[in-house]
């Protein structure tokens, strides 16, 4: 599981957006909140689902189950948006 | 997406265009009617092709940061003039460094109008005569 080539995270104003530098679709941009940014940056470093769960546990005072569910939900959203290579 | 965020995307759009990418926008203004319908047509934009060509549609940034998609109508030594197809007056003194991109194609529903296609060229040809006709029409209305 890795981020597709060309997709990058950019911070503008108070928002973080994911854009493709090959085909930047301004009609449909994905914005990330603070935890989304952390998970995206972990994915960029090659983290898998377990790695994302660990990162959530490091950052937030949540149970392992909550962290795993949130990480899985994040990955699913990226997958549905076509941002991941399996 | 709110307008404030959109305008702050300009540096990223420039980055994408400089990297050889394309950007997709949905214009919201009425200035390019009837060729570009606001909030409906999607416009694909690539890097400006040199030499610049009168009649082509370019994306440029005004000094206030707003983004404009208009047709190039005149090229002077160091300044460009643009006008929307639905406008009577040109916007002069736009410098080349304000140019961000050039329209490659327009998608209207399932239909794609490519730059260089017959319809694109037809609009390019009739945009100016239509503008003149509109001037005459508005003057006649004033006289009445």
């Amino acid at each position: 599981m890795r981020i597709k080539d060309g997709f990058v995270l950019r911070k503008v104003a108070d928002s973080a957006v994911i854009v493709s530098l090959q085909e930047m679709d301004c009609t449909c941009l994905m914005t990330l909140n603070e935890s989304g940014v952390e998970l995206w940056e972990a994915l960029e470093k090659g983290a898998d689902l377990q790695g994302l769960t660990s990162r959530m546990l490091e950052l937030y005072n949540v149970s392992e189950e909550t962290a795993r569910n949130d990480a899985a939900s994040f990955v699913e959203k990226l997958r549905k948006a076509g941002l991941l290579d399996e | 997406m709110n307008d404030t965020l959109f305008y702050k995307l300009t540096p990223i759009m420039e980055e994408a265009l400089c990297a050889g990418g394309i950007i997709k926008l949905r214009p919201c203004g009425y200035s390019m009617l009837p060729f570009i319908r606001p909030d409906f047509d999607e416009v694909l934009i690539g890097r400006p092709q040199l030499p610049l060509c009168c009649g082509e549609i370019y994306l440029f940034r005004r000094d206030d940061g707003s983004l404009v998609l208009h047709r190039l109508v005149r090229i002077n030594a160091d300044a460009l003039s643009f006008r929307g197809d639905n406008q009577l007056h040109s916007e002069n003194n736009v410098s080349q460094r304000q140019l961000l991109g050039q329209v490659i194609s327009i998608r209207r529903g399932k239909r794609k109008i490519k730059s260089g296609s017959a319809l694109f060229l037809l609009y390019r040809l009739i945009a100016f005569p239509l503008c003149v006709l509109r001037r005459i029409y508005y003057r006649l209305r004033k006289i009445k």
Side-chain angles (χ1 to χ4, degrees), chain B residues 5 15 21 38 40 43 45 48 51 71 89 119 124 127 131 139:
Chain B
L5 175 60
E15 183 184 358
F40 183 74
V43 178
I45 295 164
R71 205 178 287 278
H89 301 289
L119 189 57
R124 184 172 149 179
C131 186
R139 282 191 182 168

Side-chain angles (χ1 to χ4, degrees), chain B residues 107-127:
Chain B
R107 187 180 292 275
R108 179 170 299 159
K110 290 178 181 174
R111 189 176 187 189
K112 192 174 186 180
I113 307 166
K114 289 184 181 173
S115 174
S117 68
L119 189 57
F120 205 102
L121 290 173
L122 177 66
Y123 268 104
R124 184 172 149 179
L125 288 172
I126 66 172

